[in-house]
Amino acid sequence: MSSGGGLELPPGDGGRQGDPGDVPPGAVSLARPMEIGAELDWGAEAWSEVRTRARRAGRAYIWLNLVEQRLRAVVAAVLRPVYEPVHGDEWVVAAAGPAGHEWVQRAVAVREVSRRKGYLLDPADDNVLSFLTLPQLRELIVQHWPCFEPYLDDRRDLELALDELEVARNVVSRNRALSETVLAQAERASARLLEILGSGASSPSADRLPVDAVEDLVGDRYADVVGVHSDRVRLQRQLPAEDLFGGARRLDAIGIGLNLLVQNYSGRRLVRLAESGCRARLLFLNPASSAVRRRERELGLKKGELSRSVEMNILHMRRVRARLRDTAGFDIRVFDETPRFTAYVVNGDGPDGLAVVQSYLRRTRGIEAPVLVLRGGGRNLVGGGGGGGGGGAKENDGGLFQTYREEFESVWLDSRPVS
């Protein structure tokens, strides 16, 4: 078959591969059609990768949503009293001014379309401010910085954090793959922005274990558990002993040998901690008790091996206590009951409490047992009033943190002091 340009197409016989030498001179070679759907058969590895991407994007989206809602609340609190008395419901349009005329009119149009199509399910969203994006909210703040300056300390810090967040925002809004590095950057920038905007984590425990946006939104489903690790090694990668115990006002610990404290937090640091006012109560399993011998048999240890280890740990803590000017706030005791768990409760009497808890498993050493990280007090990531700024503090109504704290107190009452 010839075309108007004098080119000739080869025969369309799909059942024969054909020899290149069979194609007449001047013919146009056509690629064989691809099989539709050939790439749809994902394997386990492909599905795992996509799920990982979705989890990262979900976490980043939650952070972005928190920041955007808080920015709207801040913009409304500062600019509405300036423009609303004169311009009424059009105060956002007036605040945008000639420089923002194009994007604010686009937001107005999107709002009208959403109204007509019934997308506005919440009456609180029926305003132009709810349809402004993060860059547009930023533009309002920059344009009116003198109005915001009394409330926000450093414009440069604010803009740098927003620049960092913009990378993740572009990735999430376009459903692109989000790397672990960009996710970490987004979470760091979001936490910084919430802090600048007066709605950061109010609990001092956030200095040791920062409040996660996902924790704040779904944490009530899991009581006060904010971390689960398959063993103590993985725990210490995220929460080293220096971060857990450093700066503590109160430390209550119960276990067989308290290795997480004794072997990972130096005696010199413990002395400094106690001298700074930290009150410590340490409960060891009595190395002479029958419970130690049973535990040795469970773990397949030689007779006396575990008891000697506990004795050495107690001796080390006695040396620490002997170096203190005031030993009244550094109590060491032993108990004779069957050990059921080990727990380190930091600042258990305050809103910044944090606890690390492990259950004792048969034939599994403490360092290999699963670990729970519990946060005491209330969680309040997004504070402040007005607008979409967020909710108030969530009360801790009898979660696991309180359960283990009460258990510690019960064993402490039945224990014996170590001289």
Side-chain angles (χ1 to χ4, degrees):
M1 179 176 63
S2 359
S3 63
L7 297 178
E8 184 177 346
L9 300 178
D13 185 1
R16 182 172 63 91
Q17 294 293 328
D19 190 326
D22 296 339
V23 179
V28 177
S29 178
L30 297 180
R32 291 175 57 79
M34 293 180 63
E35 181 185 351
I36 297 175
E39 299 298 323
L40 293 183
D41 188 16
W42 285 359
E45 186 176 343
W47 278 111
S48 176
E49 181 184 354
V50 170
R51 289 190 179 99
T52 299
R53 291 181 178 184
R55 281 196 294 269
R56 290 175 184 165
R59 289 175 66 93
Y61 176 80
I62 291 172
W63 279 111
L64 288 163
N65 192 283
L66 286 170
V67 169
E68 201 165 296
Q69 294 290 345
R70 183 58 183 166
L71 270 177
R72 288 196 182 103
V74 171
V75 168
V78 174
L79 296 185
R80 177 179 280 157
V82 177
Y83 287 96
E84 191 176 46
V86 177
H87 301 279
D89 290 343
E90 299 297 312
W91 70 268
V92 178
V93 178
H101 177 78
E102 182 179 344
W103 52 258
V104 79
Q105 289 303 325
R106 189 160 57 245
V108 170
V110 173
R111 175 198 182 193
E112 291 305 318
V113 170
S114 299
R115 272 179 165 178
R116 288 199 304 270
K117 294 192 174 182
Y119 295 157
L120 285 173
L121 303 180
D122 188 345
D125 288 335
D126 192 7
N127 57 75
V128 177
L129 188 64
S130 295
F131 288 87
L132 298 186
T133 63
L134 201 59
Q136 293 162 359
L137 292 166
R138 172 184 184 166
E139 188 63 27
L140 281 178
I141 293 177
V142 171
Q143 284 181 23
H144 298 83
W145 181 250
C147 298
F148 291 90
E149 193 169 16
Y151 309 102
L152 305 177
D153 295 331
D154 193 329
R155 172 177 168 178
R156 177 175 171 76
D157 279 357
L158 176 71
E159 294 207 67
L160 285 175
L162 284 167
D163 285 340
E164 268 197 279
L165 201 57
E166 189 62 24
V167 177
R169 179 183 168 275
N170 283 325
V171 172
V172 173
S173 65
R174 290 167 175 78
N175 289 323
R176 302 290 188 263
L178 189 69
S179 71
E180 191 70 38
T181 302
V182 176
L183 173 61
Q185 175 182 315
E187 293 184 335
R188 182 175 61 250
S190 297
R192 176 65 181 142
L193 277 167
L194 291 172
E195 183 181 352
I196 292 171
L197 297 171
S199 56
S202 61
S203 169
S205 67
D207 296 334
R208 295 193 301 278
L209 191 66
V211 178
D212 187 288
V214 178
E215 171 201 337
D216 186 75
L217 293 178
V218 303
D220 285 344
R221 292 174 54 194
Y222 309 102
D224 41 16
V225 178
V226 296
V228 179
H229 305 273
S230 58
D231 56 48
R232 198 184 296 161
V233 174
R234 287 173 174 79
L235 163 76
Q236 291 185 266
R237 287 175 186 164
Q238 178 181 341
L239 187 62
E242 291 83 0
D243 294 344
L244 176 61
F245 304 123
R249 302 184 314 275
R250 184 185 185 110
L251 170 59
D252 296 330
I254 178 174
I256 295 178
L258 302 184
N259 287 336
L260 177 60
L261 174 66
V262 177
Q263 297 181 7
N264 295 280
Y265 201 72
S266 70
R268 187 179 296 107
R269 285 198 183 101
L270 268 175
V271 169
R272 285 202 299 266
L273 193 64
E275 295 289 2
S276 68
C278 175
R279 182 183 176 187
R281 295 188 295 172
L282 310 179
L283 261 176
F284 294 88
L285 180 61
N286 186 351
S289 67
S290 59
V292 168
R293 293 192 290 275
R294 284 197 300 272
R295 185 62 177 165
E296 286 174 339
R297 290 195 295 270
E298 283 181 348
L299 297 177
L301 300 176
K302 295 178 182 178
K303 186 176 180 181
E305 185 176 345
L306 182 59
S307 63
R308 283 192 297 272
S309 173
V310 176
E311 285 174 358
M312 292 298 294
N313 286 0
I314 293 175
L315 182 60
H316 179 57
M317 291 297 99
R318 289 177 63 193
R319 290 198 195 101
V320 169
R321 184 177 62 183
R323 293 167 59 186
L324 300 177
R325 289 189 295 269
D326 180 10
T327 61
F330 199 93
D331 293 339
I332 306 171
R333 293 193 179 189
V334 293
F335 65 98
D336 294 296
E337 303 175 18
T338 300
R340 296 172 175 84
F341 65 94
T342 182
Y344 302 86
V345 183
V346 178
N347 299 342
D349 56 346
D352 56 338
L354 204 65
V356 170
V357 177
Q358 291 179 276
S359 297
Y360 287 117
L361 307 179
R362 295 180 71 247
R363 308 189 190 288
T364 302
R365 296 183 306 156
I367 197 171
E368 299 167 343
V371 189
L372 299 180
V373 182
L374 313 176
R375 196 190 295 281
R379 289 185 301 272
N380 181 17
L381 179 61
V382 182
K394 299 176 184 178
E395 296 299 328
N396 183 345
D397 46 357
L400 297 182
F401 184 93
Q402 187 63 22
T403 298
Y404 283 103
R405 186 183 169 209
E406 291 173 357
E407 189 71 9
F408 172 88
E409 296 293 346
S410 174
V411 180
W412 182 262
L413 290 176
D414 294 330
S415 62
R416 293 183 290 113
V418 173
S419 60

